[in-house]
Every structure is written in C-alpha cells, then in structure tokens.
Amino acid sequence: MKIVIGNDHAAVDMKWNIKEYIESMGYEVINVGTNENKSCDYPDIAVMACEKIIKKEADLGILICGTGVGMSLASNKIRGIRACVCSETYSARLCRVHNNANVLCFGERVIGIETAKELVTAFLNAKFEGGKHEVRVNKIMSIEEGTYK
Ligand code: RB5
C-alpha cells in the first residue's frame, strides 16, 4: 500500500516525523508537501496529493497543515476524495470503517507528534466495513455527482 503525504509550511517538522513513522510501519510514502518553512498555499498541496489517489498512484493520503481544516476543505472539493480532519483516534479509525475516508488530515498547531502517530496508526489499520455504510457513502458520492435523489 502506498501513502501520499502532504503539508504546508505550518507542518514541515511533523511531516518528516510522520513520514518516517509511516515508513517504519512498512508502507511506501510519496511526499508532495513543502520541505521549506516559506509560506505556501495548502490547496495546492491538497490537489497534488489527492490527484495521486485519484490516479491510483497512492491508496491513501495524510495531509497536515496548521489545523488540518484547510487541507480537508480543499481535498473534499476533489471528486472521489473523502477527507476527514481528526484530533482523536476514535474518529480517525471510524472515518475509514464507516465513512471509507481516503484522506486523513490533522494540524501540527493542534496536536502533538505522539497523538499524530496514534491517529495515523488508527487510520491505516482500519478497514471499511461496507454494508449499510456503503449505502450511506454512496449517497455522499451521489451528492458530489449531482445524482442524489
Ligand atoms: C497557515 O497559516 C494556516 O492557515 C494553514 O496551515 C491551515 O491551518 C489552514 O487551514
């Protein structure tokens, strides 16, 4: 499984830490984030990361900014992306199990590195349950496609 990671200038340190952590879990990581503290625009990074998922060059994404909010807002504008900003492990696990999220977002200015690692572990180890949850996720996707009835 390949994981794409992205970050803006507010999350460079956390990106390197999390990248190393994900690699230590045995995953290949594609880094599309900035490696500098120079100010940049998080939507540009979100688009680059999400395109990797849409093109099937990556399976899941981890996006980090100051709060995780901007990354999630931008990502959710991309067809086929279900991004969730989380700061506790219950939601980080359930957003895959129930919502089939393909992008996890969080903020370097909000949580510490140990919590971030726990979120990543919960997200990557979880599996979509399908069934009634698939019906609901399909409804979300139909809103995006303009076919919701
Ligand atoms: C950058 O200052 C900050 O706005 C950004 O990292 C993020 O928190 C936006 O949601």
Side-chain angles (χ1 to χ4, degrees):
M1 185 144 80
K2 276 191 201 166
I3 312 298
V4 59
I5 192 166
N7 61 287
D8 71 0
H9 55 281
V12 178
D13 290 345
M14 188 172 265
K15 184 268 295 292
W16 289 126
N17 259 297
I18 291 297
K19 179 177 180 289
E20 194 179 298
Y21 181 67
I22 298 171
E23 285 166 345
S24 79
M25 291 174 83
Y27 298 108
E28 190 180 326
V29 180
I30 306 166
N31 172 25
V32 299
T34 183
N35 299 326
E36 302 170 9
N37 296 321
K38 186 169 161 281
S39 185
C40 66
D41 298 331
Y42 57 80
D44 299 330
I45 310 292
V47 168
M48 275 194 280
C50 293
E51 277 179 351
K52 297 274 180 208
I53 297 171
I54 298 305
K55 290 178 183 163
K56 300 195 185 310
E57 292 167 21
D59 302 286
L60 295 169
I62 306 285
L63 290 176
I64 323 169
C65 59
T67 58
V69 172
M71 286 293 195
S72 64
L73 288 172
S75 298
N76 279 316
K77 297 293 179 193
I78 297 161
R79 189 170 281 193
I81 295 297
R82 291 172 298 279
C84 299
V85 55
C86 297
S87 54
E88 36 72 34
T89 53
Y90 184 75
S91 300
R93 183 170 68 82
L94 268 288
C95 75
R96 280 201 75 202
V97 175
H98 287 186
N99 314 113
N100 203 14
N102 46 16
V103 175
L104 172 70
C105 305
F106 47 85
E108 175 163 351
R109 294 173 182 164
V110 179
I111 59 169
I113 186 60
E114 294 308 322
T115 300
K117 286 178 185 173
E118 286 183 8
L119 297 185
V120 167
T121 305
F123 183 75
L124 296 182
N125 288 343
K127 198 169 170 287
F128 182 48
E129 229 170 59
K132 66 184 178 191
H133 301 296
E134 186 158 21
V135 174
R136 293 163 186 166
V137 171
N138 286 343
K139 284 194 181 188
I140 297 174
M141 303 322 286
S142 76
I143 299 169
E144 187 170 273
E145 297 295 334
T147 57
Y148 175 82
K149 283 189 239 128

